[in-house]
């Protein structure tokens, strides 16, 4: 396949602390960030959805608070993050506003992408921002995350986010222009690998150890991120982010490493729903709804005749008619609320439940139909 940045419709960019924050002066690399914002604006102007996964809250906060270098205690990290998140969000908002782009901040923790109920919320919020042509800026919520429950690095967070929202490309900006057969700083015979079709044990063995004080990542976590991304249908690039306009450099053929996925986000997501999740209940639909689903429609409450099982919002359920299984999907309501609105038009949901729930019982993007 020819790798052209312009062919991707939804791109996640991961920007690390060491790129954003000048560790010597303890402040933002403003010129670099302004140049990256130019790159984002160019991609955005071509119609692509762009998301940023940004580290740097703790690094910026420790600078503002005057905390010494070296390891921080958990509560010091969380305090630094609380101060740094405001500064980081303001900075992204300002550099993107310069190009007429609205930024939206989303803070996530591990459980937001691991628990299906919160995963659906985070996904719906992000997709709505993209629909409104905003650029979501996503960061781990360091003010509440603890070492036991945190991602530990924003490379894997970026990969989770990319697969969550169906991105077709993830770009990890690093201090190196890709994966080498050995650490190039210590091995003069190390060779750059431009394309990785599959992440094998040999590829994993090439990934080195940890990185700088400012970041928690390393090449090892980038390869792990590659496994998450490619299994979710997302291509991934590791590229040197230190140059000005680093995205433009990739577009012009600059050296980087591509991790290729054999799938695409929609197919990978359907596979996950179809096979990896245990159904918690069954929705029986009428024949009209069954025909509509086969035609690519979402499942609306009006088409559901009865419900079996105890399930919660975000759980997988089996969708079937009286005669056959149609597929599986992630349901948008708890069983109790779903029972109250089946057979009813979507416009009546708020009056029945007392809150404006989703129009669909199961959205078509959250559904995998049987052949």
């Amino acid at each position: 396949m020819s790798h052209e940045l312009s062919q991707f419709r939804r791109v996640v960019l991961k920007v690390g602390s060491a790129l954003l924050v000048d560790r010597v002066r303890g402040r933002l690399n403003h010129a670099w960030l302004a140049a990256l914002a130019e790159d984002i604006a160019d991609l955005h102007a071509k119609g692509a959805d762009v998301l940023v996964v940004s580290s740097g809250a703790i690094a910026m906060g420790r600078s503002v608070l005057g905390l010494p270098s070296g390891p921080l205690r958990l509560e010091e990290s969380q305090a630094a993050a609380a101060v740094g998140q405001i500064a980081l969000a303001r900075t992204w908002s300002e550099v993107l506003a310069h190009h007429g782009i609205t930024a939206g901040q989303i803070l996530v923790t591990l459980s937001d992408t691991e628990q299906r109920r919160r995963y659906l919320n985070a996904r719906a919020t992000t997709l709505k921002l993209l629909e409104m042509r905003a650029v979501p800026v996503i960061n781990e919520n360091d003010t509440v995350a603890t070492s036991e429950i945190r991602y530990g690095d924003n490379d894997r967070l970026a990969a989770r986010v990319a697969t969550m929202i169906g991105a077709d490309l993830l770009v990890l900006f690093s201090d190196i222009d890709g994966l080498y057969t050995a650490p190039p700083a210590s091995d003069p015979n190390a060779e750059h690998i431009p394309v990785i079709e599959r992440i094998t044990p040999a590829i994993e063995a090439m990934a080195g150890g940890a990185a700088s004080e400012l970041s928690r990542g390393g090449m090892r976590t980038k390869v792990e991120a590659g496994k998450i991304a490619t299994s979710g249908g997302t291509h991934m690039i590791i590229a040197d982010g230190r140059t000005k306009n680093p995205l433009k450099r990739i577009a012009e053929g600059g050296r980087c490493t591509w991790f290729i996925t054999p799938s695409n986000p929609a197919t990978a997501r359907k596979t996950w729903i179809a096979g990896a999740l245990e159904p918690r209940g069954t929705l029986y639909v009428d024949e009209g709804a069954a025909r509509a689903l086969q035609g690519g429609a979402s499942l609306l409450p009006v088409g559901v005749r009865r419900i079996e099982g105890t399930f919660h919002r975000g759980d997988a359920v089996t969708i079937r008619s009286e005669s056959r299984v149609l597929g599986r999907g992630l349901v948008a309501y708890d069983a109790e609320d779903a029972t109250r609105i089946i057979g009813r038009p979507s416009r009546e949901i708020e009056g029945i439940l007392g809150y404006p729930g989703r129009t669909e019982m199961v959205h078509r993007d959250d559904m995998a139909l049987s052949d």
Side-chain angles (χ1 to χ4, degrees):
M1 96 179 242
S2 62
H3 308 306
E4 297 289 333
L5 273 185
S6 57
Q7 76 192 46
F8 296 101
R9 58 175 188 81
R10 184 168 289 165
V11 180
V12 175
L13 308 176
K14 183 265 176 178
V15 179
S17 306
L19 295 173
L20 271 175
V21 180
D22 181 328
R23 63 184 304 181
V24 177
R25 294 183 301 159
R27 65 176 73 134
L28 265 176
N29 286 323
H30 275 288
W32 177 87
L33 189 54
L36 177 61
E38 283 175 15
D39 289 353
I40 291 172
D42 286 346
L43 203 55
H44 195 263
K46 292 182 175 119
D49 293 335
V50 186
L51 295 88
V52 176
V53 174
S54 174
S55 308
I58 293 175
M60 285 182 73
R62 74 187 295 162
S63 163
V64 173
L65 293 171
L67 293 167
S69 60
L72 297 177
R73 294 198 301 272
L74 178 61
E75 61 271 22
E76 289 175 327
S77 290
Q78 292 175 333
V83 171
Q85 273 162 0
I86 293 174
L88 194 60
R90 184 178 68 238
T91 300
W92 278 110
S93 179
E94 287 171 355
V95 296
L96 291 171
H98 184 69
H99 299 277
I101 298 172
T102 301
Q105 186 187 41
I106 301 177
L107 299 174
V108 297
T109 60
L110 178 65
S111 53
D112 292 322
T113 59
E114 297 296 328
Q115 293 178 11
R116 282 193 293 279
R117 168 187 298 247
R118 284 156 71 171
Y119 170 103
L120 286 181
N121 279 338
R123 183 170 181 265
T125 303
T126 309
L127 293 178
K128 179 55 71 175
L129 283 168
L130 293 175
E131 187 186 312
M132 299 167 90
R133 298 301 289 151
V135 170
V137 178
I138 297 175
N139 195 359
E140 184 170 22
N141 193 354
D142 289 307
T143 52
V144 297
T146 66
S147 54
E148 292 79 27
I149 63 169
R150 68 176 317 119
Y151 281 95
D153 65 87
N154 275 8
D155 295 326
R156 280 179 294 202
L157 170 59
R160 290 274 189 215
V161 167
T163 58
M164 179 178 81
I165 52 92
D168 44 14
L169 179 65
L170 166 63
V171 181
L172 299 183
F173 286 125
S174 181
D175 57 359
I176 192 169
D177 57 6
L179 184 64
Y180 286 74
T181 52
S186 56
D187 187 340
N189 297 316
E191 294 178 23
H192 180 267
I193 307 172
V195 179
I196 292 169
E197 299 279 356
R198 198 165 62 86
I199 298 173
T200 61
I203 294 294
E204 291 186 72
M206 293 172 192
S212 70
E213 172 190 280
L214 278 180
S215 72
R216 302 188 194 92
M219 193 52 71
R220 183 177 50 78
T221 64
K222 287 174 175 53
V223 171
E224 287 173 11
K227 290 166 80 171
I228 294 168
T230 54
S231 67
T234 302
H235 296 290
M236 190 180 92
I237 297 174
I238 298 174
D240 192 339
R242 294 171 299 180
T243 55
K244 282 185 76 173
N245 302 101
L247 206 54
K248 184 180 178 189
R249 182 178 166 275
I250 296 171
E252 292 173 348
R255 187 147 81 163
C256 58
T257 296
W258 285 81
F259 290 74
I260 304 302
T261 177
S263 183
N264 65 61
T267 305
R269 181 171 169 76
K270 304 278 187 186
T271 303
W272 174 65
I273 291 170
L277 302 176
E278 192 63 37
R280 300 290 181 189
T282 304
L283 308 182
Y284 286 85
V285 305
D286 60 34
E287 285 303 323
R291 281 193 301 275
L293 295 183
Q294 301 291 353
S298 296
L299 177 59
L300 305 179
V302 70
V304 182
R305 299 177 64 169
R306 62 190 175 92
I307 287 169
E308 284 179 0
T310 303
F311 51 81
H312 296 290
R313 180 167 175 261
D315 281 345
V317 293
T318 300
I319 303 167
R320 60 168 302 154
S321 66
E322 292 298 338
S323 59
R324 68 194 190 283
V325 172
L326 302 170
R328 287 186 187 178
L330 306 185
V331 67
Y333 290 92
D334 292 351
E336 187 179 337
D337 283 352
T339 303
R340 294 167 64 193
I341 60 172
I342 60 172
R344 306 293 284 272
S346 297
R347 66 178 179 274
E348 295 179 10
I349 291 173
E350 185 172 3
I352 296 168
L353 299 181
Y355 65 90
R358 299 203 192 282
T359 306
E360 307 87 3
M361 186 76 79
V362 180
H363 193 278
R364 65 184 179 188
D365 293 346
D366 296 327
M367 193 186 303
L369 297 181
S370 309
D371 293 331

